[in-house]
Amino acid sequence: MKAWMKPVSAVCLLALGACAQPAPQAPQVVDPYASSGAGALYQGDLAGGTLGAEASAQYFSTQVGDTVLFPAGQTSLTPEARATLGRQAEWLNRHGNFSAVLQGHAEETGTREYNLALGARRAGAVQEYLIAQGVSADRVRTLSFGKERPVETCSDEACYAKNRRVVTVVSETGAGS
């Protein structure tokens, strides 16, 4: 090989290398939760922890308390009822993606119409208390069952006391609703 051929061969190899197409870049990985603005969305069970368990209807029912009781023929809130409703309001204010239906009930004595009206007044009293505690009015609605859905079906005072109640049922309203 002649001495001048080595530099010419090197230049030719460099020129061919410059013409070669670059290697394709690896696809960019996008985190689907990065722009959600509300932090992590995963609400399932995690090993060794209960992240997100507080933001569930089951937690509300079992830990916060979903039922308040009333004295016979009354719609006024007892101190125990106010304590339970205070916890409900705190939970509802912390979890703005939930709405509540307040189900008013009455014992089996009295006419159907009287008990429907009594259940409605009890649910209304609970609604007013929750709104006064800062829960938005558009997230709380009332419903009266009167004596149609008793917890206990017997004819003594112990059963009647359990049926004079308002049950707060919460559900997720979903984004934008």
Side-chain angles (χ1 to χ4, degrees):
M1 179 180 268
K2 298 189 179 192
W4 62 271
M5 290 183 74
K6 284 186 181 181
V8 171
S9 295
V11 169
C12 288
L13 287 174
L14 288 174
L16 286 173
C19 293
Q21 293 188 359
Q25 293 184 351
Q28 186 176 12
V29 177
V30 178
D31 180 3
Y33 304 112
S35 62
S36 65
L41 298 177
Y42 181 74
Q43 297 293 314
D45 293 333
L46 297 175
T50 57
L51 181 63
E54 184 181 320
S56 68
Q58 181 182 8
Y59 181 90
F60 181 86
S61 177
T62 60
Q63 302 299 313
V64 175
D66 63 352
T67 303
V68 293
L69 301 175
F70 290 84
Q74 298 293 311
T75 59
S76 59
L77 299 171
T78 64
E80 295 83 18
R82 290 174 195 261
T84 301
L85 293 174
R87 290 192 308 271
Q88 289 182 6
E90 181 182 330
W91 188 90
L92 286 166
N93 286 328
R94 205 177 19 213
H95 303 286
N97 57 330
F98 281 84
S99 62
V101 176
L102 308 172
Q103 300 176 343
H105 299 271
E107 64 191 53
E108 69 183 44
T109 60
T111 65
R112 182 175 187 272
E113 292 77 19
Y114 172 80
N115 286 325
L116 282 173
L118 184 58
R121 288 195 311 270
R122 287 174 175 161
V126 169
Q127 182 183 35
E128 289 176 12
Y129 191 86
L130 291 176
I131 291 170
Q133 298 298 310
V135 177
S136 175
D138 63 347
R139 294 176 49 212
V140 181
R141 65 184 180 98
T142 62
L143 182 64
S144 178
F145 288 107
K147 61 181 179 181
E148 304 301 322
R149 293 188 179 185
V151 167
E152 296 286 335
T153 52
C154 59
S155 297
D156 63 28
E157 178 54 29
C159 294
Y160 295 159
K162 292 178 183 176
N163 292 329
R164 296 187 293 254
R165 69 195 191 283
V166 170
V167 178
T168 304
V169 179
V170 297
S171 60
E172 284 194 78
T173 56
S177 59

